[in-house]
Amino acid sequence: MNIFRLAGDLLHLGSILILIARLQQTKSCAGISLKTQVLYLVVFVTRYIDLVLGFVSVYNTLMKMFFLASAGYIVYLMYGPLKATYDRALDSFRIEFVLGGAAVFALAFPHKYTVLEILWSFSIYLEAVAIMPQLFQMTRTGEADNITSHYVFALGGYRALYIINWIYRYYTEDDYADYIAWVAGVVQTALFGDFFYIYFTRVLKGKTFKLPV
């Protein structure tokens, strides 16, 4: 594992810890898209189903268990204890389209035509667009609290670091190629483009995240 992959993993882990801390400290899920969190749960369940089928390493196993457990916990909090603070009207993105699109792409362009590979490809395609409900909600409200902004930034930053990891591996490893992950990763990072710009020009200067009118 190279430093870019490790940094990406840690940033991904950090994004989830930021969100959990935010939910627990504020006792509110206002401004957080439940639909995005459900999509991430689906991503992890379909990607890490191989957890019960084989062992790769302690690091790999622990990370998979963390992502599965944390995604389930966040969805539980938003459906259960914090349900009263969830604004369903603002979280109005139609996730059936991204679920259906990811399923079509997984069936049309999997790594291999096996159940596990189709599920893995589905999770990659779905993760690329799972943030869309959250970004759509932020567009509707026009702003977000800074902790939520840090969470979204860490999510986007993790994937950007993975792109650097892929470039590094392409030039340092023989026969390394993963076109599905590459294309999906570029699409996923591109979706954060406007957010990154506002984050760097406002949030890092101590201002509230706010979309231009």
Side-chain angles (χ1 to χ4, degrees):
M1 179 186 300
N2 62 68
I3 188 63
F4 305 112
R5 165 70 186 276
L6 178 60
D9 284 348
L10 293 178
L11 196 57
H12 193 187
L13 186 150
S15 71
I16 295 174
L17 293 178
I18 289 171
L19 178 57
I20 291 176
R22 191 265 197 198
L23 294 175
Q24 291 181 333
Q25 290 176 6
T26 64
K27 305 299 182 184
S28 171
C29 62
I32 304 299
S33 168
L34 174 58
K35 291 183 177 180
T36 279
Q37 301 310 316
V38 169
L39 290 179
Y40 279 127
L41 179 58
V42 173
V43 166
F44 295 138
V45 169
T46 53
R47 183 176 304 172
Y48 298 145
I49 193 172
D50 64 343
L51 189 62
V52 298
L53 302 177
F55 176 79
V56 177
S57 69
V58 173
Y59 175 86
N60 182 274
T61 298
L62 289 178
M63 291 296 278
K64 288 179 178 180
M65 291 175 63
F66 171 80
F67 289 129
L68 283 167
S70 60
Y73 179 61
I74 290 169
V75 170
Y76 158 74
L77 286 178
M78 296 185 70
Y79 264 119
L82 306 181
K83 184 176 181 179
T85 64
Y86 170 61
D87 192 336
R88 185 182 300 273
L90 284 177
D91 196 14
S92 58
F93 188 88
R94 302 285 296 276
I95 62 172
E96 57 266 33
F97 294 120
V98 295
L99 285 166
V104 170
F105 271 87
L107 291 171
F109 308 106
H111 270 278
K112 296 177 183 178
Y113 278 101
T114 66
V115 173
L116 285 180
E117 289 293 344
I118 290 174
L119 287 174
W120 183 87
S121 299
F122 170 78
S123 76
I124 295 296
Y125 293 128
L126 184 59
E127 185 185 11
V129 293
I131 195 62
M132 290 182 69
Q134 180 66 54
L135 296 177
F136 182 72
Q137 180 170 322
M138 293 169 73
T139 300
R140 291 196 64 189
T141 60
E143 59 186 7
D145 65 83
N146 284 352
I147 298 179
T148 301
S149 300
H150 297 327
Y151 157 68
V152 176
F153 172 78
L155 269 181
Y158 125 75
R159 186 49 77 182
L161 284 170
Y162 256 56
I163 292 178
I164 300 174
N165 159 62
W166 295 328
I167 295 172
Y168 176 83
R169 293 184 63 187
Y170 180 79
Y171 285 105
T172 59
E173 298 180 17
D174 295 331
D175 301 322
Y176 171 69
D178 192 344
Y179 299 108
I180 291 176
W182 292 352
V183 173
V186 170
V187 170
Q188 182 177 351
T189 305
L191 289 175
F192 286 87
D194 288 343
F195 173 86
F196 282 152
Y197 174 78
I198 299 172
Y199 184 86
F200 282 115
T201 57
R202 290 191 61 86
V203 178
L204 290 187
K205 294 182 178 180
K207 301 178 182 178
T208 302
F209 180 91
K210 191 171 185 179
L211 293 171
V213 179

